[in-house]
Amino acid sequence: MLLHFKQNITNIPLPETFTFPFYYEPHELSKIAASELQHYLQTQTDFNHNFGLNKDQDGLVIGKMFGVLVVQNKNNQIGYLAAFSGKLADSNTHKVFVPPVFDMLQQDGFFKQEEKLLNTYNRKIEVLEKDPKYKAALDQLNATTLAAQTDIEAQKQQIKTNKQNRDTRRQEALETLTAEVYKTFEKNLSKESQQESIKLKMMQHYWKEQLTLITNTVQAYTDQINTLKEERKQKSAALQQKLFQQYAFLNQYGITKSLGTIFEGNPPASAGECAAPKLLHYAFQHQLKPIALAEFWWGQSPKSEVRKHGHFYPACTGKCKPILAHMLEGIKMDDNPLHINPALGKDISIVYEDEYLAVINKPAEFLSVPGKTITDSVYHRIKTRYPEATGPLIVHRLDMSTSGLLLISKSSALYLQLQSQFIKRTIKKRYVALLEGTIKQPCGSIELPLRVDLDNRPNQLVCYTYGKPAVTKWEVIEHRDNQTLVYFYPITGRTHQLRVHAAHPDGLNAPIVGDDLYGTKANRLHLHAEQLCFIHPILKKEIIVQVEEMFK
C-alpha cells in the first residue's frame, strides 16, 4: 500500500512541519505524489468509475475527492499513501489505495447482516401498507367519516330551521290563541324539539358504532405497522451506534477514538469516510510518519458544490475537523493562517467623508469586522479613528479577501437610514473581477440560490430547496490571455455570492482569479468593490464614489 515515488525526489527537502489540513499550499512532494496518482487515474484499468471526464462512458457520473499522504518509514525512506473519499466504483477497497477504517460493504460483516434484517422489516411494512383489505378499510373509513359528518350536519341544520319555524309559529299563536289553547300548542312544540334532539342523538350513536367497527379494522393494521416501525427504529439506532464504535481512529500515540466518542454520539453522515482520516489511520497503523498531506478533486463538479477537476482542496471542517483534531494530536503543524492577522502593515484610505458618514477603501485580506481570534479590522480601525461615533459603524460588509468600498456611518440613527437603503436595494454597487477563462457572452444575469455548506463552513452551496435567492448581473469589460475582466452588479447580497456565481458550472463556470475557496489560490482574490451609489440621508443628494482597480 506504500507507494514509491517514480520521480527522483532526493533533492527536495522535507517540510519542517506537517500540513495544516484546513488551509494550505501543497508541499512540492505532495504535488508530485498527486501528479503520479492522477496519472494512474488517467491510465488505470483496475476499476470502472465514471468521473464525467469521458462523454462516451456509461454509468452515473460521480466526481471524487482523492488524497495523498507523504510518509516516512522507520528506515527513513520516503513514499506516499493514496485514498479516496466515500466509495469508488461501488467498493471501499481497491489496489493502490489504503483501505477504509471500517468496511461497511463486506458481505459477511455485521453491517450487511443487520441491513438485511432492516430490509426484512421494510418488506413486512410494505406488505401491510399495500394489503388490499387495509386499503379498502381506509377508504371505507374515509367515506363513512364523510357520510357521518354530512348526515349529522344536515340534521343540525334541520333542527336550526325547525326552531326558527317554531319561534315564528309561537309568535303568531300568542296573537290568535286563547291562553288555554296556547298552553297545549306550546306543549306540542316542546315535543317536536325533544323528538328532533332524540333523533340527532340516535344518528350520532349510529355513526359512532359504524366508525368504531371500521376503525377497529384499520387499527389492527396500523398497530402492526407501528410496532414494526418502532422495532426497526430501535434496531437501526442500535446499528448506528455499533457502527460509530467500529470507526475508531488512531493517532501517533496509539490512542483510538471512535466516531461516537468524537462527536458525542451524533456524527454527521459519512463522517470518517473522507480521504484524510483514512490516510492518517493507515499511516499510524503501520508506523509511518506523516510528512505532508494534499487532497484534490477528480472529475465533474457536483451540482451544488463548486469543485474544479484537478484542483487541491482543504479537508472539510464539519466532518473532518473533529476527527483530525484527535488524529493530529502532538504533531507540529504549519501555522493556521486564520490565526494570523492579515491586516498587519496595511492602511485604510478615506475616499469620501463628511460629518455624518464616510466611505473607505478596504485593502484585500482585511477583515470588515473582528473575527473569532483577530480583532484588527475595519471596525476596529474606524472605532479608533472616530471614538465619538455611535452604532455598528459598518453599514455593510465585504469578504476579507475582497478589496473596495465600504460605507461607514458615524451615528446609530444614520446607520438605520443607510441600512434601510440596502434592505430596499436602492443602493447601487459595482464590482470589478478578473475571471479564469474566456466569457463569450457580453453580459447576462445569474440566479443561483445559496446556503451555507453545513459540513464545510464558510463555503456556500447552490441549493434550490433551502437556499436564499441570489441574483447577479454582469458584463464583460475586456478579454485577456485566457482571462476575462468583468463588472458584477449584485442585486442581492449573499455570502460569497459573486465568488460562487462566477465559479459554479451553472453560473459563469470561471472562478475569480485567486479564489482559494472556489478556484485556485494566487497573490490575492481579484475582486474589488469599485463603485458605490447611495442617497445621502441628511444632504438628500446622490453620492457616487468610485475607486478603480483593473488588476494590471
Side-chain angles (χ1 to χ4, degrees):
M1 207 63 66
L2 178 62
L3 304 174
H4 300 286
F5 282 97
K6 296 178 181 178
Q7 182 176 329
N8 185 354
I9 60 167
T10 53
N11 294 325
I12 300 176
L14 299 181
E16 295 180 3
T17 53
F18 186 67
T19 312
F20 179 72
F22 305 104
Y23 194 97
Y24 63 89
E25 180 67 28
H27 186 269
E28 185 63 27
L29 290 172
S30 296
K31 291 180 180 179
I32 295 171
S35 177
E36 292 186 1
L37 179 59
Q38 289 168 3
H39 177 74
Y40 166 77
L41 291 172
Q42 290 172 323
T43 58
Q44 63 82 29
T45 56
D46 297 327
F47 58 85
N48 183 26
H49 182 97
N50 188 358
F51 293 104
L53 302 175
N54 183 355
K55 294 181 179 179
D56 299 326
Q57 188 172 357
D58 295 329
L60 183 66
V61 174
I62 304 175
K64 279 285 166 190
M65 193 73 78
F66 288 86
V68 290
L69 179 66
V70 180
V71 293
Q72 186 178 45
N73 66 14
K74 290 182 177 181
N75 298 321
N76 294 325
Q77 295 172 319
I78 302 298
Y80 65 94
L81 306 173
F84 51 85
S85 293
K87 61 182 179 180
L88 180 66
D90 294 321
S91 177
N92 279 329
T93 56
H94 289 283
K95 186 173 71 173
V96 172
F97 300 101
V98 301
V101 177
F102 173 72
D103 189 358
M104 292 190 301
L105 301 182
Q106 287 182 348
Q107 292 301 316
D108 57 348
F110 80 87
F111 182 80
K112 280 296 182 181
Q113 298 304 314
E114 292 291 329
E115 191 177 50
K116 289 178 182 178
L117 179 60
L118 291 176
N119 288 334
T120 300
Y121 276 95
N122 293 336
R123 287 191 293 271
K124 288 180 179 179
I125 292 169
E126 185 179 6
V127 168
L128 286 171
E129 289 178 337
K130 291 184 176 181
D131 190 315
K133 292 180 180 179
Y134 177 50
K135 298 182 78 173
L138 284 173
D139 291 340
Q140 187 181 5
L141 180 60
N142 292 332
T144 303
T145 300
L146 179 60
Q149 291 172 344
T150 302
D151 199 16
I152 290 170
E153 185 59 33
Q155 178 61 15
K156 288 181 178 179
Q157 283 297 119
Q158 186 62 52
I159 290 173
K160 185 177 180 180
T161 300
N162 290 347
K163 181 181 182 301
Q164 293 172 345
N165 180 264
R166 283 193 294 272
D167 289 343
T168 302
R169 289 162 59 195
R170 186 178 287 110
Q171 187 63 36
E172 292 173 350
L174 280 171
E175 297 173 359
T176 58
L177 300 179
T178 64
E180 190 64 30
V181 175
Y182 180 80
K183 186 176 181 181
T184 304
F185 176 79
E186 180 64 38
K187 191 174 182 180
N188 290 333
L189 291 182
S190 296
K191 286 183 179 179
E192 287 181 18
S193 178
Q194 290 172 4
Q195 288 171 353
E196 289 168 358
S197 296
I198 291 169
K199 183 178 180 181
L200 176 61
K201 290 180 180 179
M202 290 177 64
M203 290 175 64
Q204 290 173 329
H205 180 71
Y206 168 78
W207 285 117
K208 183 179 180 180
E209 285 187 333
Q210 295 300 309
L211 288 169
T212 299
L213 288 172
I214 303 168
T215 300
N216 288 341
T217 303
V218 171
Q219 193 65 44
Y221 279 93
T222 55
D223 285 347
Q224 292 182 69
I225 292 170
N226 289 337
T227 298
L228 288 170
K229 285 183 176 180
E230 181 59 29
E231 290 178 4
R232 181 184 63 183
K233 180 181 177 181
Q234 292 178 3
K235 289 187 178 296
S236 179
L239 177 59
Q240 283 285 73
Q241 292 304 315
K242 186 176 180 181
L243 190 62
F244 296 157
Q245 296 306 313
Q246 299 304 310
Y247 281 90
F249 301 90
L250 276 169
N251 63 17
Q252 65 172 340
Y253 304 116
I255 299 171
T256 61
K257 278 190 179 181
S258 69
L259 274 182
T261 301
I262 292 171
F263 288 95
E264 297 181 347
N266 190 30
S270 302
E273 293 288 347
C274 295
K278 289 182 181 179
L279 290 165
L280 289 165
H281 184 76
Y282 185 90
F284 294 135
Q285 272 185 322
H286 296 83
Q287 291 76 51
L288 299 171
K289 179 184 177 182
I291 300 297
L293 173 73
E295 295 180 88
F296 63 87
W297 181 262
W298 194 256
Q300 188 171 303
S301 176
K303 286 293 183 182
S304 57
E305 298 174 271
V306 177
R307 291 285 184 261
K308 298 297 180 181
H309 175 62
H311 285 204
F312 290 101
Y313 289 93
C316 63
T317 55
K319 291 184 285 189
C320 287
K321 193 170 185 178
I323 298 172
L324 296 185
H326 157 67
M327 300 189 80
L328 295 173
E329 182 181 354
I331 292 179
K332 189 176 181 181
M333 287 186 289
D334 298 337
D335 291 333
N336 180 354
L338 300 179
H339 293 168
I340 301 173
N341 182 11
L344 287 175
K346 298 178 182 178
D347 294 321
I348 295 173
S349 58
I350 306 294
V351 182
Y352 171 91
E353 183 180 14
D354 58 34
E355 59 184 301
Y356 309 106
L357 55 83
V359 179
I360 64 102
N361 183 25
K362 184 184 84 69
E365 302 305 322
F366 202 119
L367 290 169
S368 294
V369 296
K372 292 181 178 179
T373 58
I374 300 171
T375 58
D376 193 9
S377 59
V378 172
Y379 175 84
H380 180 77
R381 302 276 184 101
I382 292 298
K383 190 66 176 174
T384 303
R385 185 182 182 95
Y386 306 116
E388 302 301 320
T390 61
L393 301 181
I394 311 295
V395 182
H396 63 116
R397 300 182 186 183
L398 294 176
D399 288 347
M400 180 182 73
S401 299
T402 305
S403 63
L405 301 175
L406 273 179
L407 185 55
I408 308 297
S409 170
K410 296 183 181 180
S411 70
S412 299
L414 197 69
Y415 170 85
L416 294 175
Q417 294 181 61
L418 291 170
Q419 264 284 299
S420 177
Q421 293 187 45
F422 275 99
I423 293 170
K424 294 176 181 177
R425 298 176 184 172
T426 56
I427 288 184
K428 299 174 184 177
K429 296 174 287 182
R430 186 176 78 191
Y431 291 71
V432 63
L434 185 63
L435 308 184
E436 293 283 4
T438 301
I439 308 301
K440 296 181 180 179
Q441 296 82 6
C443 59
S445 179
I446 303 166
E447 297 185 27
L448 295 174
L450 302 176
R451 71 166 176 83
V452 69
D453 184 348
L454 297 174
D455 289 329
N456 200 24
R457 297 173 185 271
N459 289 36
Q460 302 293 305
L461 298 176
V462 171
C463 179
Y464 289 92
T465 304
Y466 303 107
K468 294 181 180 180
V471 182
T472 304
K473 295 185 182 298
W474 59 273
E475 64 175 315
V476 170
I477 304 171
E478 66 177 60
H479 292 100
R480 300 179 180 178
D481 292 338
N482 199 33
Q483 293 179 333
T484 307
L485 197 67
V486 300
Y487 282 140
F488 280 132
Y489 305 92
I491 307 303
T492 53
R494 309 301 177 202
T495 302
H496 295 178
Q497 176 175 316
L498 301 182
R499 299 169 72 168
V500 177
H501 280 185
H504 197 276
D506 293 335
L508 292 177
N509 197 28
I512 298 172
V513 173
D515 191 341
D516 55 357
L517 294 181
Y518 308 101
T520 305
K521 187 178 179 180
N523 62 317
R524 63 155 292 183
L525 177 70
H526 286 57
L527 177 64
H528 176 74
E530 75 160 19
Q531 189 182 89
L532 196 61
C533 177
F534 61 97
I535 301 299
H536 197 297
I538 305 300
L539 304 180
K540 305 299 181 185
K541 68 176 185 179
E542 185 178 64
I543 304 293
I544 300 176
V545 183
Q546 181 169 320
V547 175
E548 292 187 359
E549 171 59 81
M550 301 303 285
F551 306 116
K552 292 178 180 177

